[in-house]
Amino acid sequence: MITINVNGKNMRVDSDPDTPLLWALRDDLHLTGTKYGCGVSLCGACVVHVDGKPVRSCTTALSTVVGKKVTTIEGVDADRIGKAVQAAWQKLDVVQCGYCQSGQIMSAVALLKTNRKPSDADIDAAMGRNICRCATYVRIRAAIHEAARSLA
Amino acid sequence: MRRVYLEHGGAPGEARIENESRRRFLQGAAGLTLAVYLPGAVGKAAIRTASTSFEPNAFVSIGSDNSVTVFAKHLEMGQGSYTGLATIVAEELDADWAQVRVEGAPADAKRYNNLLWGPAQGTGGSTAIANSWEQLRKAGASARAMLVAAAAQQWKVPADEITVSNGVVAHATSKRRANFGQLAAAAASQTVPAEVALKDPKDFKLVGKHAPRKDSLGKTTGKAIFTQDIHLPGMLTAVVAHPPRFGARVTSFDATKAKAVKGVVAVVQIPTGVAVLAKNTWSAKQGRDALSVEWDEATAFRIGSDEIMTRYRELAKTPGAIARKDGDPDSALAGAAQKIEASFEFPYLAHAAMEPMNCVVRLNKDGTCELWNGEQMHTADQGRVAALFGIAPEKVTIHSLYAGGGFGRRANKDSDYVLEAASIVKASGLNVPVKMVWLREDDMQAGYYRPMFHHSLQAALDAQGNPVAWKHRLVGQSIILGSPFEAFLIKDGIDAVSVEGASTLPYQIPNLLVDLHTPKDIGVPVLWWRSVGSTHTAFSTEIVIDELAVAAKKDPVDFRLGLLSKHPRHAGVLKLAAEKAGWGTPLPAGKPGERRGRGVAVHESFHSFVAEVAEVTVKPDGSFSVDRVVAAVDCGVAVNPDVIKAQVEGSVGFALSAVLYGRITLKEGVVEQSNFHDYQQISISEMPKVEVHIVPSGEKPTGIGEPAVPPLAPAVANAIAAATGKRLRSLPIETELLKA
Ligand code: FES
Ligand code: FES
């Protein structure tokens, strides 16, 4: 048993320490908002925050997050920026299939935490490794600007 | 027995409990059904308050809690079908958009069939809105009429004095008002009207206006449920070892190491490989990786994609089966003033939906079976699973969930992944539900690709610059052969989807031949891929027509318009896109050394018409960016303009990935790509600005999930030609060719 802190709560997980955080979240804790897309850090569908920083949970061993704070899409609205990003996403109807969007939102929230007024180039740099097969990129960009405006 | 329906957009773990008798009621009743939601408790599931629902037909249910539930017979895979279908119902019902929710309908060939497919339920060919338009307008209007009749009876006033607006039923003179929920029980006892009047389109309040997506909330909070997210009591997760080559079979396997992995419960052989069942996905994957399997490759397909293309080039030298012939193309070519000859090559493409294929199957003790799936071919999958278990199709219930993309892959003509999941349950004999998941590598290497194609074209102009001859030969595997659609779509040896967009060339050219070779000895499974035949036919035809324009020294837009006098909807989108893009005005220059160009293409697919103008910048090293795409679309009545806009934006990006990177190759029959590092997708920085203009139309609505894909690649190629003078012949585009 390993105890990790997810969305502000301590949770016990019955998995080996080297299990990727992704599968512990999804299969043990049934926090299924974090998605599997590639398993090898290529797509960004699995992005969560560890101590506020974006990480790819598919290649993050469970043992490395012990004692740290994990935030998933299910808990991101506890924070003002998280709420603003979700609201912008809803206002602009960014989603299509939606499967990549938890990861997109987590990456966008992480960007806005360190950069309150990102330029298009900042967005390209921060979001460049989050694939959306539905190519909702036009609206992802617009929603990040929208969230930045609403937070200003 | 109670069943648990996972609700789209509800919190995970939340479920709606329905009494089994409701479904039976529904099945037995042709029109009107009174359904009762019974409170109960399963685990920690949150239970809705008991309510009486009014279900005037198979598509809408109104609860006494004032909720309007629309049952969507089509898959929501991102294309906005749930929102579009609900918009139609809500329009005629005069519901308040906020009270409307959507639920995936179960499999039912009688009530939920695709009206364009006969007695089969499924989603594809951009038909969701097209086949549902009248059906759902009537469904909404009948429900409205019954609510009005109930109010008239209760209030003792004439029905024609009652108004309905935004979910409120009212009678002005008596000042009576009620919401739908208050009238639901009384409405349920009204007669279903035989005929209902539909609205005059000028009175539409939702259709053509902005109705926000119904899936935005669930999909931005992590609460939307996909197949991947299902967890059932006692469920095991299965990961499968598939053969390295198509057509290989298991000879033997050693599961010792796999079984030693913590969490692995069983290892079973199935017709398509060896499945490892475990308590969770990670254990199943590790178990699968620890397996050693001997494959019998005696009947496996062992040829590489380069060799396949070499064969296609040879085939292209000989005449094929004729798909269309007008006039006498050979004589016209012989006597022409100018000729253009070009051949084009297209690779296999994987769908690579963001959610890899997966399916949950449970066999119940009472002999029924349940599937949880992002279900795209309801009745075909239902029938095949039923046959596998030796039960009647109606014993197989399908819980239709959101799909994390599809692009055609989930509408598998052989039910491949669904049957694989069911086979695991059958082989395991474990009596527990199984979630079969494909990892990205499995998904990419499992085949069912957009077929490789070779096109050769010859076209000619007379001395005045008018096109006089067009010969177009295509070589590629048939998608339809061996599928349930064979009887409808293969005539005289021509698979209609191999030549769609080529045999339907809209341009007025008096002498025209389109012929086709369909090689049948290629063992690579092929499938429809978002916009199907038009993925390749739009490219070759729109490039050659552009070359003809240049050869005739005419403007590419004017040249096309001159040949489209019998095709006003093509002409309409072409003019609109050109105008909005500033066609004919100079493009701002790029940085020193950069070459810029603008290109256009127009194409009809699935009865929708799309023109796109692309602006590109080509750098000295040959790499290029697509900076802006202006699209004009005519898909009839625009049910939900913002969803249409989103589909066009997404189609542009989806098509651009294929232009820049898309290529599945085989070496001696083994697929060489495995994940997103070698099957790359565009990222946000490569996404062009997209502007979408919708042609106002009173024509019946047609689809928009696919039709904006085909024009992108030729518009980009024509823009590159305008910038560099180099004509492109193959996809993906080799930037080497574009070096300054
Ligand atoms: S699943 Fe982690 S980056 Fe793709
Ligand atoms: S919304 Fe479908 S992959 Fe991004």
Side-chain angles (χ1 to χ4, degrees), chain A residues 26-27 36-37 93 133 137, chain B residues 213 216 228 281 351 681-682:
Chain A
R26 291 184 51 81
D27 285 353
Y36 164 81
D93 267 352
R133 266 301 267 161
Y137 299 122
Chain B
R213 284 185 77 111
S216 263
Q228 193 84 31
T281 319
H351 302 77
Q681 308 304 321
I682 64 159

Side-chain angles (χ1 to χ4, degrees), chain A residues 39-72:
Chain A
V40 286
S41 269
L42 291 166
C43 76
C46 68
V47 171
V48 299
H49 295 176
V50 175
D51 286 346
K53 302 230 164 51
V55 305
R56 300 192 166 219
S57 62
C58 67
T59 47
T60 300
L62 193 50
S63 59
T64 65
V65 302
V66 173
K68 299 185 178 167
K69 287 192 183 314
V70 177
T71 308
T72 70

Side-chain angles (χ1 to χ4, degrees), chain B residues 526 686 710:
Chain B
V526 291
E686 293 162 293

Side-chain angles (χ1 to χ4, degrees), chain A residues 96-98 100-101 132-134 136, chain B residues 354:
Chain A
Q96 290 188 26
C97 84
C100 75
Q101 298 291 350
C132 175
R133 266 301 267 161
C134 302
T136 60
Chain B
M354 210 67 207

Side-chain angles (χ1 to χ4, degrees), chain A residues 94-101 104 131-136 140, chain B residues 77-78 219 353-355 403-405 407:
Chain A
V94 172
V95 305
Q96 290 188 26
C97 84
Y99 195 82
C100 75
Q101 298 291 350
Q104 304 282 2
I131 295 174
C132 175
R133 266 301 267 161
C134 302
T136 60
I140 288 173
Chain B
M77 54 184 143
K219 289 176 177 178
M354 210 67 207
E355 179 185 22
F407 315 120

Side-chain angles (χ1 to χ4, degrees), chain B residues 499-671:
Chain B
V499 294
E500 63 186 355
S503 61
T504 52
L505 191 80
Y507 300 113
Q508 213 162 342
I509 303 176
N511 305 290
L512 184 147
L513 176 75
V514 178
D515 63 353
L516 171 72
H517 287 285
T518 306
K520 301 198 177 72
D521 55 352
I522 308 293
V524 182
V526 291
L527 195 63
W528 30 76
W529 186 97
R530 197 177 190 179
S531 79
V532 200
S534 293
T535 57
H536 47 97
T537 59
F539 190 72
S540 58
T541 57
E542 282 298 293
I543 287 177
V544 171
I545 207 78
D546 215 68
E547 290 185 63
L548 285 178
V550 172
K553 302 204 169 34
K554 291 189 185 151
D555 173 80
V557 170
D558 292 340
F559 182 76
R560 285 175 173 84
L561 288 174
L563 302 172
L564 287 170
S565 56
K566 295 202 179 115
H567 294 274
R569 296 179 79 185
H570 285 82
V573 291
L574 185 55
K575 277 188 219 155
L576 184 60
E579 177 205 319
K580 298 287 183 186
W583 188 263
T585 63
L587 265 181
K591 297 192 192 102
E594 286 180 351
R595 296 153 288 168
R596 302 205 69 216
R598 199 186 262 134
V600 67
V602 59
H603 193 78
E604 175 194 356
S605 55
F606 311 104
H607 311 293
S608 292
F609 304 78
V610 183
E612 290 171 16
V613 174
E615 294 175 7
V616 303
T617 303
V618 186
K619 301 203 176 66
D621 67 355
S623 66
F624 65 93
S625 58
V626 181
D627 310 314
R628 179 182 179 223
V629 173
V630 178
V633 309
D634 175 355
C635 52
V637 171
V639 172
N640 196 313
D642 194 53
V643 170
I644 292 171
K645 215 170 153 256
Q647 281 310 294
V648 176
E649 292 163 3
S651 295
V652 163
F654 183 86
L656 189 54
S657 282
V659 167
L660 290 172
Y661 307 115
R663 176 173 15 218
I664 289 285
T665 55
L666 287 84
K667 192 158 190 258
E668 291 168 12
V670 177
V671 175

